[in-house]
Amino acid sequence: MAELISFLEAPPGDLGRLHRERLAWLEGTSGPIVALPSEYPDGYNVPNHHHSRSQLLHALRGVVLVTTQQGRWMVPPDHAMWIPAGIEHSVEMLGNVSMRSVYVTPDAIEGLPTRLRVVGMTDLMRSLIIEAVTLPAEPRPTGRTGLVLGLLLHEIPSLPEQPLGLPFPSDPRLAALCRRFVAAPSPHATIDEWADIVGMSRRSFTRAFHRQTGLSLSTWRQQACLFAALPRLADGEPITRVALDLGYDSVPAFTTMFRRMLGTSPRGYMRGSRDNFRVSNG
């Protein structure tokens, strides 16, 4: 629907201009749905911004980190991030990223998600997105274009949510603990230790943390460890090294956590992501 924009070889001074031009084009275009392809270099950061359309951000290759005031979300290969319209967010590339984004007007159909979430990609949805970025831009798509985009729209609400969000508490004391943990994650952090640091009872800490994040500390801690592990695994680091660096006593303990959170082993997860990327590129 629009020419692929590559930021891989663009001069640094042109990157901001390219983004501003794309956002301006996006705000000025019509129709309920727009699909855009992009290529980004490792370490590139899209500065804080928002748009009037909701965005389904899908990385065919590489890992993306989305940051908002509500927290951080990891988007590895074979996943997508749903960002509702108007949400301020920045995007950091972990590895070279091949991105495909679908932008949807909030009233395009009923049942679109109303909050930030990471979702798993189905084979059907992945194929629809890859096809959508090749279709001609039409304000009111008809024929085959209309059928592809219509089905894509109706598949969005049914995508399975994945536990790859990392919401931060609103209490500055709790948020500071979370930031320190993200910088040096460990599976051994306990409620009692964190409660003592902020001068709260175990019960008060547990209630406050869950109320402000929607998660128990145990679940939040596991998701933070996944945040640290996925980019390293995607870069091909040995599972043993990643597990031990994160403080796990053994690879089986790390694998148990990984399987509990994502439903598969680290090897199976990364193998599936590589296979999906090969399929998407024919």
Side-chain angles (χ1 to χ4, degrees):
M1 295 184 69
E3 181 182 357
L4 182 144
I5 294 183
S6 175
F7 298 85
L8 291 171
E9 300 178 357
D14 289 347
L15 296 179
R17 177 182 58 79
L18 287 174
H19 274 295
R20 290 191 295 273
E21 289 177 354
R22 167 166 282 198
L23 287 174
W25 179 88
L26 185 63
E27 293 300 318
T29 194
S30 58
I33 179 171
V34 177
L36 300 175
S38 302
E39 304 290 331
Y40 295 96
D42 179 23
Y44 183 69
N45 188 280
V46 179
N48 212 38
H49 67 286
H50 69 275
H51 19 75
S52 61
R53 294 171 180 261
S54 298
Q55 179 183 6
L56 184 69
L57 183 161
H58 173 46
L60 290 175
R61 176 170 57 93
V63 177
V64 173
L65 184 64
V66 178
T67 301
T68 76
Q69 289 186 339
Q70 291 114 308
R72 310 174 86 189
W73 283 259
M74 182 77 75
V75 191
D78 204 33
H79 290 73
M81 175 83 190
W82 177 257
I83 306 171
I87 296 289
E88 291 277 346
H89 61 283
S90 62
V91 185
E92 181 181 354
M93 314 302 161
L94 307 178
N96 289 336
V97 172
S98 181
M99 186 186 297
R100 303 294 180 266
S101 289
V102 178
Y103 298 90
V104 181
T105 57
D107 60 352
I109 60 167
E110 294 185 3
L112 291 173
T114 58
R115 61 181 179 85
L116 290 152
R117 62 172 63 177
V118 175
V119 295
M121 293 295 289
T122 62
D123 291 340
L124 173 60
M125 189 57 154
R126 187 182 307 105
S127 298
L128 288 170
I129 291 177
I130 291 170
E131 183 64 22
V133 299
T134 70
L135 298 175
E138 300 177 14
R140 292 181 174 82
T142 59
R144 180 175 179 274
T145 297
L147 291 172
V148 170
L149 297 181
L151 181 55
L152 193 161
L153 270 177
H154 283 83
E155 283 296 298
I156 291 175
S158 64
L159 293 174
E161 186 169 3
Q162 296 290 340
L164 290 171
L166 198 65
F168 277 41
S170 56
D171 185 318
R173 299 172 301 166
L174 303 185
L177 285 174
C178 290
R179 284 194 294 270
R180 287 201 293 270
F181 186 89
V182 169
S186 165
H188 303 303
T190 67
I191 294 174
D192 290 331
E193 290 172 349
W194 283 32
D196 287 343
I197 291 173
V198 296
M200 300 172 69
S201 69
R202 178 187 176 95
R203 185 177 183 181
S204 296
F205 176 89
T206 300
R207 287 183 171 180
F209 195 89
H210 191 277
R211 182 177 64 253
Q212 294 178 33
T213 66
L215 301 173
S216 67
L217 177 60
S218 176
T219 300
W220 188 95
R221 183 190 65 199
Q222 290 176 341
Q223 293 180 195
C225 286
L226 275 181
F227 266 50
L230 283 174
R232 297 178 62 179
L233 293 173
D235 284 342
E237 286 195 43
I239 296 172
T240 299
R241 182 192 302 166
V242 174
L244 296 179
D245 284 353
L246 290 177
Y248 282 84
D249 297 328
S250 65
V251 172
F254 174 74
T255 299
T256 297
M257 179 278 294
F258 198 100
R259 189 184 298 276
R260 184 186 304 119
M261 299 300 291
L262 290 179
T264 186
S265 68
R267 286 189 177 88
Y269 180 86
M270 298 315 299
R271 182 171 57 249
S273 295
R274 287 192 297 268
D275 290 346
N276 287 330
F277 178 66
R278 283 195 292 268
V279 169
S280 69
N281 283 273

